[in-house]
Amino acid sequence: MVTIDRIRKDMEKQLKVDTDLTNVEVNADSLDEALADAAVQLDSKVGALEYEVIEKGSEGFLGLNKKPWKIKVYENAEMRARTRKAKNKNLFSDEDFDQEVEKEIDRDGMYYIHRFNSQLNLKVILPVGKGKPVEQKEVLFELKRPDTVSIDENAVRKFIKEGTDDAYEVVGTYNHVPAADALLVVDIPEDEMKATITVSPPSMGGADISADQIYKSLTTQGIVAGISDQKITEFVDSPVYNIPYEVASAVPAVDGRDAYIAYNFETDRTKLRVKEAANGQMNFKELNLIQNVVEGQPLAQKMPAERGKPGKTVYGKYLEAKNGKDIRLPVGKNVTVDSDGRTILASINGQVLLVGDKINVEPILEIEGVNIKTGNITFLGTVVVKGNVEDGFDVKASGNIEIYGTVGKSHLESDGDIIVSQGIFGREEGEIKAGGSLWAKFIQQTKVEVEEYILVSDSIMNSEVSAMKRIILQGKKAQITGGHLFATEEISAKNIGSPGGGTETILEVGYDPKAKHRLEDLQIMQGTLMKELEEVELDISTLENQKKIRRTLPKEKEENLEKLRTRRDEITKESSKMTEEIQQIQQHLRDLKVVGKVKASGTVYAGVKIYVRDVVDEVRADVKSVTFYYENGFARRGKYEPPSTEDIKAPDGYSTN
């Protein structure tokens, strides 16, 4: 039943088809010429066209009163859709790349018909995959023109089935009219950088332009370089009439690239970025502003200049190219050139900088202060801080650390010496570690570990301090109040402790502090292991008794028993290793030749505990101008002996006096 809705849908469908149609109006002397002209304009084939006659033409009488044909030509809607699909095959986005191969596999067959000399020539490209083959009916329709003399349909059928191997094959003859042939003109501009052909279309009975004709015309004009076989083939297949078409292009000269420096570090400091924490947040204490390098590290490499590549015009004339320019290596301070003559290496540890146009490695980093502007500092060299190190910021250096101001609740770590012109306010969280010695005005509530000497001019208060050699306080105050101090050789100050003994002060000398700490840690760990061993032995005994009574244990308990026995063996081995290390440390401490001393030029207040080697001397009453030392297994007291500082090398600008 025909309904309004059905009619509306059919009309909408027809409207879409009509909208997709492309049409042109053509005037020509004959209907065949008009259709051929329309096929060129619509980039289609004659067999795929439909037309309406607007004005019927007439040949007149003896050429008089001749009237041209006027027709309106459409491309068949089905063929138009197929053409659009073919054109869109190469329009892939990146995400459709995987589908591109599949689309290329399914390709329709194609054919080309051209008239060369007096012969009809056919070129057939076979379909690929699920592509549609060329239709014989369509080919024959296009071959049968008024000027056609004969067609070898068997040959056409064969070539449609087998293809022509990208060549043109003769399939018939036509009534050739040489005066109607296509005309070809070769044009070369003054710079001789390309060659174009301009071809006028053939009339009825005229021959198309062949590839041989194009090659011959180019050779006649003296063109020997840059001829494109592909472009000539494409033109022969699908001629472009009355428009210049490039068939040869010169080989342009390419100037060589200048030498340049490839840097292995960031030369633009504004591009250095804040470190990102594991949770994705920015750590603004780690500003990453310093680019540390180590000795021998490649910093940059010169990429050599390239030779230019000469070119040729289409006439074969030589086109000269310039060679790239060389440059000097930007060698600055503390860098060297590798044996290849192109690579710049760091000759020391430090910070790499591009100063002007020179690469330098600076062994000393100078900054105004350590704060939110600089972030934490990590440097392979010496760090000089002209101001303060503020609370919460760290400084690590492979060389020395010199601070003109104060140090707050911070961490300092150096492989060399640490010098603090003012004091250290650790606030019970500050920590100082030095591979050399420490100089400071005072130390408060800070943990300090150094490999050599600690020299303080004012005071040490409520701090945990250890030195592998000596702790010396020299100055007007030179006071040790509260805390726990270790030194292998001696501790020297003016006053030690506090009046009334309100703050616990412990001093230890005559042994290796690190060995002592390690011994204490080992003893604690071994004690913990022994407690665990007792519990394991008790559990094993319980399970073994159950097994004796029941003769067997459930699987779960049997597995648990095996685990307990394994753990018992592990504890025994661990404890044995600890015992061996404890004995070695104890022997090391006994063998120390150093006789530790504690010296006070002023007063040692009651309540102070002094350990000399393994012997303690608890000061019960104030004592003045005294030296505590070890003799015959006892802690002795003698007259005050001034500290020896002759072997202590002070840094520039500092004194042990």
Side-chain angles (χ1 to χ4, degrees):
M1 179 179 178
V2 178
T3 63
I4 295 296
D5 289 339
R6 181 174 177 182
I7 293 174
R8 184 182 295 112
K9 289 180 181 179
D10 290 343
M11 290 179 68
E12 288 175 352
K13 184 176 181 181
Q14 186 62 43
L15 177 63
K16 187 178 185 306
V17 172
D18 293 342
T19 303
D20 288 341
L21 290 178
T22 303
N23 66 83
V24 292
E25 289 189 3
V26 183
N27 295 322
D29 292 338
S30 68
L31 180 60
D32 290 335
E33 289 181 12
L35 288 171
D37 190 5
V40 172
Q41 295 186 49
L42 295 174
D43 191 19
S44 184
K45 298 180 177 63
V46 173
L49 300 179
E50 298 176 356
Y51 64 92
E52 299 175 8
V53 177
I54 299 175
E55 292 183 11
K56 189 174 181 181
S58 172
E59 294 185 2
F61 180 72
L62 298 177
L64 299 176
N65 297 322
K66 189 174 183 179
K67 185 178 179 182
W69 286 77
K70 185 176 182 180
I71 62 175
K72 193 170 188 178
V73 184
Y74 303 86
E75 187 175 19
N76 180 279
E78 181 181 351
M79 181 58 69
R80 183 66 180 171
R82 191 187 307 172
T83 304
R84 285 183 178 178
K85 183 178 180 181
K87 286 183 178 179
N88 288 333
K89 278 188 177 182
N90 294 326
L91 302 179
F92 297 109
S93 62
D94 292 340
E95 63 185 7
D96 293 330
F97 181 77
D98 293 338
Q99 300 174 8
E100 183 175 356
V101 176
E102 182 180 350
K103 288 187 177 180
E104 287 184 346
I105 290 175
D106 296 333
R107 186 183 66 207
D108 292 345
M110 300 177 67
Y111 72 92
Y112 302 95
I113 295 174
H114 288 296
R115 291 159 176 80
F116 302 138
N117 297 323
S118 61
Q119 297 173 329
L120 294 175
N121 292 267
L122 174 65
K123 178 178 177 180
V124 177
I125 299 174
L126 296 175
V128 178
K130 298 179 181 179
K132 295 182 179 179
V134 172
E135 295 183 6
Q136 181 179 340
K137 185 187 299 184
E138 186 178 332
V139 175
L140 291 174
F141 178 84
E142 193 167 337
L143 285 170
K144 292 177 180 179
R145 279 193 348 189
D147 58 352
T148 299
V149 175
S150 66
I151 299 174
D152 186 347
E153 294 192 12
N154 289 331
V156 171
R157 191 179 300 108
K158 174 186 175 183
F159 294 139
I160 289 174
K161 182 179 179 181
E162 300 176 359
T164 61
D165 196 21
D166 206 31
Y168 281 91
E169 299 289 348
V170 178
V171 294
T173 60
Y174 72 102
N175 187 16
H176 182 207
V177 180
D181 287 352
L183 299 178
L184 180 150
V185 177
V186 178
D187 182 55
I188 300 103
E190 290 184 6
D191 61 5
E192 303 175 10
M193 296 303 289
K194 67 178 181 179
T196 60
I197 58 173
T198 304
V199 178
S200 60
S203 301
M204 182 64 68
D208 296 308
I209 296 296
S210 67
D212 290 340
Q213 286 177 281
I214 296 174
Y215 285 119
K216 186 175 180 181
S217 297
L218 295 176
T219 303
T220 301
Q221 293 292 331
I223 297 170
V224 296
I227 297 174
S228 173
D229 296 335
Q230 181 181 348
K231 288 185 177 180
I232 290 174
T233 300
E234 290 175 356
F235 180 87
V236 172
D237 289 344
S238 303
V240 178
Y241 295 118
N242 299 321
I243 297 175
Y245 183 90
E246 186 177 312
V247 291
S249 57
V251 179
V254 179
D255 291 340
R257 185 196 64 211
D258 292 342
Y260 68 95
I261 302 297
Y263 296 94
N264 297 336
F265 61 95
E266 181 55 67
T267 58
D268 185 354
R269 291 178 61 79
T270 62
K271 293 182 180 179
L272 295 173
R273 294 288 181 260
V274 178
K275 280 188 179 179
E276 190 173 291
N279 60 5
Q281 294 182 342
M282 293 298 181
N283 183 357
F284 288 98
K285 288 185 180 180
E286 298 292 345
L287 299 183
N288 201 27
L289 299 177
I290 300 168
Q291 299 184 85
N292 288 298
V293 295
V294 298
E295 181 181 353
Q297 180 175 334
L299 305 178
Q301 187 175 44
K302 181 175 79 170
M303 310 308 291
E306 293 180 348
R307 294 185 62 83
K309 297 179 181 178
K312 283 184 180 180
T313 69
V314 292
Y315 286 139
K317 292 181 181 179
Y318 179 82
L319 296 175
E320 188 175 356
K322 295 179 181 179
N323 293 327
K325 296 179 181 179
D326 197 11
I327 58 173
R328 291 184 178 182
L329 285 171
V331 176
K333 297 185 298 182
N334 302 316
V335 298
T336 186
V337 180
D338 201 1
S339 57
D340 63 4
R342 298 192 296 117
T343 304
I344 300 175
L345 308 174
S347 58
I348 62 170
N349 296 347
Q351 175 185 203
V352 61
L353 297 169
L354 188 65
V355 181
D357 60 347
K358 305 290 186 184
I359 297 174
N360 297 327
V361 176
E362 297 291 346
I364 299 175
L365 172 66
E366 292 190 3
I367 51 178
E368 294 301 317
V370 180
N371 46 46
I372 192 65
K373 292 182 179 179
T374 63
N376 295 333
I377 301 296
T378 301
F379 185 63
L380 293 177
T382 292
V383 176
V384 177
V385 182
K386 295 182 179 180
N388 303 326
V389 179
E390 295 185 5
D391 288 348
F393 290 92
D394 304 339
V395 179
K396 296 181 180 180
S398 65
N400 297 338
I401 298 176
E402 299 181 27
I403 300 165
Y404 295 175
T406 60
V407 176
K409 187 174 59 177
S410 305
H411 288 72
L412 306 184
E413 187 172 344
S414 167
D415 290 345
D417 298 329
I418 297 177
I419 303 101
V420 182
S421 297
Q422 300 302 315
I424 302 170
F425 299 94
R427 295 183 178 84
E428 297 184 352
E429 293 183 27
E431 188 171 348
I432 311 290
K433 291 184 178 181
S437 300
L438 169 66
W439 280 262
K441 186 175 182 180
F442 60 82
I443 302 171
Q444 290 185 9
Q445 296 179 318
T446 306
K447 183 178 180 180
V448 179
E449 294 180 15
V450 303
E451 294 298 320
E452 294 184 357
Y453 307 97
I454 295 176
L455 297 104
V456 175
S457 61
D458 194 343
S459 63
I460 298 176
M461 299 179 62
N462 300 317
S463 297
E464 184 178 336
V465 180
S466 66
M468 291 300 292
K469 291 187 178 179
R470 301 173 214 161
I471 300 174
I472 298 175
L473 286 81
Q474 286 186 321
K476 291 182 178 180
K477 189 175 181 182
Q479 174 82 31
I480 297 174
T481 306
H484 198 161
L485 279 66
F486 300 83
T488 301
E489 297 178 8
E490 70 175 68
I491 299 174
S492 177
K494 183 178 180 180
N495 300 314
I496 301 173
S498 59
T503 304
E504 184 180 54
T505 305
I506 301 173
L507 279 62
E508 298 188 49
V509 293
Y511 63 91
D512 182 340
K514 287 188 175 180
K516 180 76 171 178
H517 288 155
R518 176 61 179 166
L519 178 62
E520 291 172 353
D521 291 342
L522 284 170
Q523 289 171 338
I524 292 171
M525 288 189 292
Q526 192 175 49
T528 303
L529 276 178
M530 290 301 100
K531 288 182 180 178
E532 183 183 356
L533 182 60
E534 289 178 6
E535 294 175 359
V536 169
E537 291 281 13
L538 180 61
D539 292 340
I540 291 173
S541 177
T542 301
L543 289 172
E544 286 179 343
N545 288 334
Q546 290 179 3
K547 191 173 182 179
K548 286 179 181 178
I549 296 170
R550 300 178 181 179
R551 295 187 179 182
T552 184
L553 287 174
K555 183 179 179 181
E556 184 178 341
K557 288 189 176 183
E558 188 67 45
E559 290 176 353
N560 190 30
L561 178 60
E562 287 301 316
K563 288 180 181 179
L564 289 170
R565 287 170 176 169
T566 301
R567 180 56 185 156
R568 179 179 61 186
D569 294 340
E570 290 174 352
I571 292 173
T572 303
K573 289 179 181 179
E574 289 178 28
S575 179
S576 177
K577 288 182 180 179
M578 288 182 182
T579 299
E580 185 178 349
E581 187 176 354
I582 287 170
Q583 290 173 350
Q584 290 174 352
I585 293 173
Q586 288 173 337
Q587 185 62 42
H588 166 68
L589 294 175
R590 283 193 295 269
D591 293 343
L592 277 175
K593 295 180 180 179
V594 176
V595 178
K597 294 182 179 181
V598 175
K599 304 173 181 179
S601 62
T603 303
V604 178
Y605 294 99
V608 173
K609 293 180 181 179
I610 296 176
Y611 289 84
V612 184
R613 306 276 301 256
D614 293 327
V615 183
V616 63
D617 186 341
E618 294 189 32
V619 179
R620 302 186 183 279
D622 296 353
V623 57
K624 297 181 180 295
S625 189
V626 64
T627 296
F628 296 84
Y629 62 95
Y630 180 85
E631 184 179 72
N632 298 326
F634 294 94
R636 306 289 188 183
R637 300 180 185 181
K639 293 182 179 180
Y640 170 72
E641 300 174 5
S644 175
T645 58
E646 294 178 358
D647 59 338
I648 302 176
K649 184 180 178 182
D652 295 340
Y654 291 85
S655 172
T656 56
N657 297 321

